Amino acid sequence: MTETLPVQKPTLFALPTSFVSLRNSQLPRHGAPLYVTTPIYYVNDVPHIGHAYTTIAADVIARFWRFLGWPTRFLTGVDEHGAKVAHSAKAKNIPPQSYVDEMAKVFKALVQALDATPDDFIRTTDHRHHQAAQALWKALEVKGQVYLGTYAGWYAVRDEAFYTDAEIQEGKAPTGAPVEWVEEPCYFFKLSAWQDALLTHYKNNPEAIGPKERYNETLRFIESGLKDLAISRTKLSWGISVPTHVGHVMYVWMDALTNYITALGYPDTEQEYYKKFWPNSVHLVGKDILRFHTVYWPAFLMAAGLEPPARVFAHGWWTKEGQKMSKSLGNVLDPFALIQHYGSDALRYFLLREIRFGQDGDISEQALVKRCNQELGNTLGNLAQRILAFIHQYHPEGVQGTAHTPLDPQHEALQTWGRRTVVYLKTCIEQEDLYGYIDLLQTAVQQVNGYVTEFEPWKLRSLPEKTSYLSQGLYSLCMFLRDTALLFSIVLPQAMGKLLKQMGEEIEGAQGSVHRLGAQLLPGPWPKPEPLFTRWEPLV
């Protein structure tokens, strides 16, 4: 996936100049496999809105690739090792394994509540992951990339990260996390030896990190000079044992990052999933863990003789009404409560629509209610109800396509809109521009709402000489509505599944559904339409 200049937006009735013929618009050709991942989430506490955000974004990208019928693998999961997980288990006075078993169930429940569709859910306590992480360690050791030393420095349990004296500000890590002084024997990875290789890789592949400011941030960090990285602990027992050195536990980030290849069958690099999907990967991460994914992870891989990931995209942080969310402030948003009250579609839509993916944003329930009522209820829901309710009342047998050629230009634009627009939507997904994807669809829906007012079907039905024109227009509007439902289903699976059923179609079996765009509608009669959305009110 690459970053390019923003694409020209296709308006509904003014086609992009790249399309010569309305009828012969080309669907995207068969594409490369895509492996999209979330970070594996720490289970030291219950899920928060940030976990939901990344999961939703990854799900939308995976759903679109499947919609095109292209090979897709979507991975999420949980990180169950490290000091802060051990501390959380101790605070509850239960064994770490019992603690992570219960927390993994909660994170799986969030995935389900969000209507996310991962192909795999990985846990770092899985046997397969222990094997993969230890295999990576052995590969690094065989290649002379690991040596024994002593670590003396600052460590932040909250970040599970080591920091230099220069990075400590007022006794805290740059992230604001408290730090503690640690002295212990450990094994080091020769990170400094990979400084030039990393710089060369990123300068030759500027699309490997997005957005652009995160790319620049990574290069500045590498150019400032890399120091060897401590990759084992002896004062911690909750983790994966170093396979060749008794008493040492693998540094939690080396353990955690390996999950991306564990899930593809590593260390068996001839396994089907590994050969197909690595390194065709897009790691979606929060910007706070950028360094681990764009410096440590590719260095580990290159040192072991493996290819680095194709792309890492770091999104921003959410605040609530201008304040950082924290338990101490009592303003943490519970994604389960939001889903229970507003529904998963509303949360999915708001988080991807409120800001561009990659930027920081602010969330409030008032903003969620306003945006969803205006854009989903009053715009998208209104359009569907206007069209389908009219057809149910005056054409209960359904609407039929007409054989007249050429079609009215506006009706032809409606019928071919989906096939033309999917090319632009593909570019949005390739750039992780999820806001742009929604904006393209919403712009068209707004335009068609305006067109229905101009078309005035309620007047045309009383004019016998306009019968054919009315039938053609209603059929074209329904084709637009069906194609909108297909394209919007990756963001709004619940509501768009409902809309498709009201048109006699199904959302199930979305793999390769791109070929349904522009296809003839199923004959009626269709079920009586019901509103797609109810009016939202704030939870509090």
Side-chain angles (χ1 to χ4, degrees):
M1 290 194 172
T2 60
E3 286 191 38
T4 62
L5 293 175
V7 296
Q8 173 194 1
K9 282 187 180 180
T11 57
L12 183 59
F13 301 123
L15 290 172
T17 55
S18 58
F19 290 96
V20 177
S21 169
L22 284 170
R23 288 190 176 278
N24 295 320
S25 300
Q26 296 296 311
L27 295 176
R29 297 182 180 277
H30 188 73
L34 174 69
Y35 182 41
V36 59
T37 70
T38 72
I40 49 173
Y41 303 123
Y42 279 127
V43 295
N44 64 302
D45 206 345
V46 294
H48 54 66
I49 202 70
H51 300 127
Y53 186 43
T54 321
T55 303
I56 291 166
D59 183 62
V60 165
I61 292 171
R63 281 177 180 267
F64 184 79
W65 229 244
R66 295 187 195 119
F67 178 75
L68 295 181
W70 297 352
T72 309
R73 198 84 183 153
F74 168 23
L75 175 70
T76 190
V78 286
D79 183 357
E80 301 175 316
H81 292 137
K84 60 184 179 181
V85 172
H87 290 180
S88 294
K90 185 177 180 180
K92 290 183 176 292
N93 198 30
I94 58 176
Q97 187 63 56
S98 299
Y99 173 80
V100 298
D101 286 345
E102 290 304 311
M103 292 302 292
K105 293 176 184 177
V106 178
F107 278 83
K108 283 184 177 181
L110 178 62
V111 170
Q112 184 175 6
L114 291 168
D115 285 315
T117 57
D119 297 289
D120 197 353
F121 186 97
I122 191 165
R123 299 177 57 185
T124 55
T125 54
D126 289 343
H127 177 66
R128 58 173 174 165
H129 182 68
H130 278 246
Q131 288 184 313
Q134 290 182 332
L136 182 62
W137 179 287
K138 289 177 182 177
L140 293 174
E141 206 164 40
V142 166
K143 292 182 178 292
Q145 298 297 316
V146 175
Y147 65 91
L148 183 62
T150 300
Y151 178 78
W154 299 104
Y155 188 77
V157 173
R158 193 182 80 184
D159 300 342
E160 298 284 15
F162 301 98
Y163 291 103
T164 64
D165 286 334
E167 291 179 296
I168 302 303
Q169 302 171 3
E170 299 180 353
K172 293 185 177 181
T175 60
V179 294
E180 59 184 36
W181 186 261
V182 174
E183 293 187 27
E184 60 183 322
C186 67
Y187 281 87
F188 285 83
F189 167 66
K190 295 180 179 178
L191 181 64
S192 59
W194 293 92
Q195 178 170 328
D196 291 342
L198 285 168
L199 286 173
T200 299
H201 170 66
Y202 286 129
K203 288 178 179 178
N204 290 340
N205 301 279
E207 76 286 351
I209 303 174
K212 189 65 176 180
E213 56 266 34
R214 302 284 85 86
Y215 172 83
N216 293 334
E217 178 185 334
T218 298
L219 259 61
R220 287 195 299 269
F221 179 78
I222 297 172
E223 289 169 345
S224 70
L226 298 181
K227 296 183 178 180
D228 291 351
L229 179 69
I231 58 169
S232 76
R233 301 289 310 273
T234 52
K235 294 184 177 181
L236 179 69
S237 60
W238 179 242
I240 297 178
S241 299
V242 172
T244 52
H245 306 283
V246 176
H248 286 259
V249 170
M250 290 175 62
Y251 172 43
V252 67
W253 271 106
M254 184 178 180
D255 158 5
L257 290 164
T258 309
N259 91 90
Y260 300 122
I261 53 177
T262 297
L264 297 180
Y266 183 82
D268 182 3
T269 56
E270 294 301 310
Q271 208 264 10
E272 177 188 357
Y273 286 152
Y274 190 95
K275 291 175 68 175
K276 178 180 288 186
F277 292 105
W278 192 261
N280 300 314
S281 55
V282 177
H283 295 330
L284 301 183
V285 301
K287 65 180 182 180
D288 55 322
I289 55 174
L290 179 71
R291 180 187 307 180
F292 303 99
H293 285 82
T294 59
V295 181
Y296 302 163
W297 178 225
F300 290 156
L301 290 167
M302 290 191 287
L306 304 173
E307 293 182 79
R311 183 164 168 84
V312 176
F313 190 93
H315 63 73
W317 293 333
W318 286 95
T319 55
K320 183 184 179 185
E321 299 175 358
Q323 288 186 309
K324 183 178 180 180
M325 284 182 259
S326 70
K327 284 187 173 181
S328 61
L329 293 174
N331 65 348
V332 176
L333 286 172
D334 177 3
F336 288 106
L338 293 174
I339 293 166
Q340 184 176 12
H341 184 73
Y342 299 107
S344 60
D345 276 1
L347 185 62
R348 288 168 67 99
Y349 185 85
F350 176 79
L351 291 180
L352 299 183
R353 177 62 163 159
E354 187 69 2
I355 59 166
R356 286 196 178 273
F357 196 58
Q359 299 177 353
D360 293 337
D362 190 70
I363 185 172
S364 72
E365 292 193 52
Q366 289 73 20
L368 185 154
V369 166
K370 181 179 179 181
R371 185 173 288 281
C372 289
N373 279 334
Q374 287 182 348
E375 298 187 2
L376 294 183
N378 298 345
T379 305
L380 178 56
N382 180 58
L383 177 64
Q385 192 67 16
R386 292 175 79 187
I387 295 170
L388 297 182
F390 182 88
I391 290 172
H392 183 76
Q393 182 173 357
Y394 298 109
H395 297 268
E397 74 286 353
V399 292
Q400 301 297 322
T402 60
H404 296 335
T405 54
L407 289 173
D408 177 275
Q410 292 177 324
H411 297 166
E412 188 161 11
L414 285 165
Q415 291 193 20
T416 60
W417 172 83
R419 293 177 69 88
R420 289 182 283 111
T421 303
V422 71
V423 178
Y424 293 84
L425 296 173
K426 171 178 170 288
T427 302
C428 290
I429 294 295
E430 288 176 327
Q431 297 178 15
E432 295 85 23
D433 184 9
L434 308 180
Y435 175 95
Y437 184 103
I438 294 173
D439 196 51
L440 276 169
L441 297 183
Q442 273 294 356
T443 298
V445 170
Q446 290 170 358
Q447 290 175 329
V448 175
N449 257 314
Y451 173 70
V452 172
T453 301
E454 296 174 6
F455 183 54
E456 297 182 315
W458 48 89
K459 288 186 179 180
L460 294 175
R461 73 181 187 86
S462 62
L463 302 175
E465 69 275 15
K466 293 291 186 178
T467 300
S468 178
Y469 178 71
L470 175 61
S471 296
Q472 184 190 91
L474 290 174
Y475 189 83
S476 302
L477 284 167
C478 287
M479 285 187 67
F480 170 84
L481 200 59
R482 187 272 317 278
D483 288 357
T484 298
L486 289 171
L487 293 169
F488 240 141
S489 68
I490 74 165
V491 179
L492 304 166
Q494 293 284 343
M496 295 303 96
K498 184 177 178 180
L499 176 54
L500 287 168
K501 285 184 178 180
Q502 290 182 14
M503 302 181 73
E505 302 204 21
E506 295 288 338
I507 195 174
E508 309 327 346
Q511 183 79 17
S513 291
V514 66
H515 295 292
R516 294 163 67 183
L517 296 174
Q520 294 298 298
L521 297 170
L522 295 177
W526 295 339
K528 180 180 179 180
E530 298 178 358
L532 296 179
F533 308 102
T534 56
R535 187 161 185 83
W536 288 276
E537 297 292 341
L539 180 60
V540 291

